[in-house]
Amino acid sequence: MTRRPALYGLAGGDGDRDAGPARQPEIPASPGRSGAHVPVMPDESLRLLDPSRGGLFVDATLGQGGHAERILSANDSLRLIAIDRDAESLEMARRRLEPFQDRATFVHDDYRNLPEILERAGAGRSGSVAGVLADLGISSWQLAAPGRGFSFQTDEPLDMRMDRSSGPTAAQLLADSSTEELARIFFEYGEERHARRIARAIHDRGVHGPILTTGELASLVERVNPRRGARLHPATRVFQALRIAVNRELQGLDQFVLDAVEALQARGRLVLLTFHSLEDRTIKTTLRTLSHQCSCPRSLPRCACNHPDRVALLTRKPLRPSPQEVAANPRARSAKLRAAERL
Ligand SMILES: C[S@@+](CC[C@H](N)C(=O)[O-])C[C@H]1O[C@@H](n2cnc3c(N)ncnc32)[C@H](O)[C@@H]1O
């Protein structure tokens, strides 16, 4: 089957929505997908991460290594721990970063295991790191890669796992989840208005055998919710939601931010790029909590409010990509960048 130019956003649909499920996600219609991942907001990320200081840095989401290459180029003595749960991405980035191999450690793991990863690398869980970058979600390469099941542009097994060595596939999740659970996933993670009807249709279809391929799922959604001239393929939001559920992308994100802050040395920087309103909300709330200053009355001899005051926010509001960047790289469209400095 020939691969048509893909709608961007399929399972990676980066809906950027702060107002909750009532608003429609903004998913770019056509990225001109080539498969190569273009790093998002590279100048802003590097400025805030400030790797020219040197020291130990962590790229928690290595992807194709675009951000990592810039980090490693910023200072000749800087060391980088580069993490990705996708073994194929990690291998591609490792080849790209060969010129820096004596300063980079590549780790196939989940960034939510950051404390253990740091310990294994001999860095210690606390106070050892000068900067952490996390560019969340999925890469353009993953979306375009054949056989990964993230996209319905070709009919292939419905996998969607970033780490293909563990966890249930999207097909298994569809088969094992109740109608209510599927409706919740489609509504919460995809803001799909027809979540219930689609979940019910998946359940009813189950009597004829499970849904095993991207094409079968896309056709089923299209039957329930015909396109009627819409810009977006009707299955886009369902694919995005399933991907988030399969990879448990929202679980443990707050703890990762806490662990990353714990890992930072004083004046160390944390830079976080998100593409989904639920991710951004979690990060905003966690950083705000960590940045709360003591609110006790001055008359009290010591703090009684237990506000942590662990970081200073470097971005009161999230930074957004410039119109020029969005024009050149539509994937950047829904990006939000937040950064903080360890006190
Ligand atoms: C948007 S891409 C990063 C692109 C990268 N900054 C670049 O310039 O090429 C996100 C990457 O994070 C990885 N990823 C997503 N969730 C992860 C997790 N929980 N642990 C480790 N890696 C993860 C994905 O496999 C993907 O390769």
Side-chain angles (χ1 to χ4, degrees):
M1 181 186 270
T2 48
R3 184 169 278 270
R4 283 183 280 136
L7 282 176
Y8 193 79
L10 308 179
D14 300 327
D16 173 29
R17 310 153 296 249
D18 251 356
R23 280 181 40 204
Q24 293 297 302
E26 284 175 37
I27 303 174
S30 166
R33 186 170 79 168
S34 70
H37 182 86
V38 180
V40 172
M41 301 181 75
D43 295 341
E44 296 87 340
S45 309
L46 269 277
R47 179 173 58 75
L48 286 160
L49 198 62
D50 195 12
S52 59
R53 293 170 290 146
L56 176 62
F57 282 74
V58 174
D59 184 343
T61 52
L62 178 64
Q64 270 55 69
H67 284 105
E69 189 171 52
R70 288 165 190 251
I71 294 170
L72 282 157
S73 304
N75 181 306
D76 285 348
S77 64
L78 171 158
R79 288 185 306 121
L80 181 74
I81 296 177
I83 305 167
D84 206 294
R85 74 203 295 202
D86 184 321
E88 287 172 60
S89 288
L90 195 75
E91 191 43 44
M92 279 171 48
R94 188 203 299 271
R95 269 184 261 129
R96 174 182 186 163
L97 299 175
E98 231 158 39
F100 307 99
Q101 63 179 343
D102 51 337
R103 297 194 278 122
T105 305
F106 297 93
V107 183
H108 179 222
D109 206 334
D110 191 314
Y111 58 65
R112 288 169 285 202
N113 299 325
L114 184 65
E116 295 78 20
I117 293 169
L118 288 173
E119 225 158 51
R120 283 203 307 270
R125 291 166 179 247
S126 175
S128 57
V129 175
V132 177
L133 171 75
D135 171 17
L136 302 179
I138 190 171
S139 71
S140 310
W141 175 81
Q142 286 168 315
L143 265 178
R148 302 296 302 263
F150 288 113
S151 154
F152 47 77
Q153 297 301 309
T154 53
D155 190 19
E156 54 190 34
L158 193 56
D159 189 323
M160 291 199 185
R161 290 169 303 165
M162 292 182 191
D163 180 355
R164 294 211 270 183
S165 65
S166 72
T169 64
Q172 286 164 335
L173 192 136
L174 285 186
D176 295 345
S177 304
S178 66
T179 312
E180 290 69 33
E181 180 58 6
L182 285 181
R184 184 194 67 76
I185 288 171
F186 299 152
F187 184 70
E188 264 182 39
Y189 301 161
E191 299 182 8
E192 170 55 62
R193 278 188 299 142
H194 305 289
R196 232 165 225 301
R197 280 171 52 206
I198 295 168
R200 231 177 283 129
I202 290 171
H203 181 260
D204 294 348
R205 145 78 210 244
V207 296
H208 305 295
I211 294 174
L212 296 176
T213 72
T214 54
E216 286 167 12
L217 179 60
S219 320
L220 179 141
V221 176
E222 207 168 2
R223 270 200 306 280
V224 176
N225 174 24
R227 192 191 280 248
R228 292 201 190 95
R231 187 169 66 99
L232 220 54
H233 189 287
T236 304
R237 296 179 216 288
V238 167
F239 270 62
Q240 170 186 298
L242 256 186
R243 186 209 89 210
I244 291 174
V246 165
N247 294 289
R248 297 179 300 108
E249 291 178 37
L250 294 160
Q251 276 98 315
L253 196 51
D254 49 355
Q255 186 59 45
F256 164 69
V257 173
L258 296 175
D259 290 339
V261 166
E262 181 61 30
L264 291 175
Q265 55 196 214
R267 314 286 309 266
R269 298 276 180 95
L270 176 60
V271 175
L272 300 156
L273 272 159
T274 61
F275 296 85
H276 191 288
S277 60
L278 294 176
E279 282 173 352
D280 180 60
R281 215 175 292 166
T282 303
I283 285 182
K284 179 172 79 178
T285 312
T286 313
L287 287 181
R288 286 228 172 121
T289 307
L290 287 169
S291 71
H292 272 166
Q293 293 175 2
C294 174
S295 56
C296 297
R298 279 168 186 261
S299 52
L300 276 189
R302 71 172 69 89
C303 171
C305 68
N306 279 330
H307 276 162
D309 205 2
R310 306 284 300 283
V311 300
L313 299 182
L314 301 175
T315 49
R316 296 241 147 243
K317 293 203 158 144
L319 302 188
R320 307 299 307 264
S322 67
Q324 291 83 346
E325 179 175 357
V326 174
N329 178 19
R331 176 176 199 275
R333 180 166 158 162
S334 49
K336 287 186 177 172
L337 188 156
R338 294 184 187 269
E341 182 174 88
R342 177 74 197 260
L343 295 173

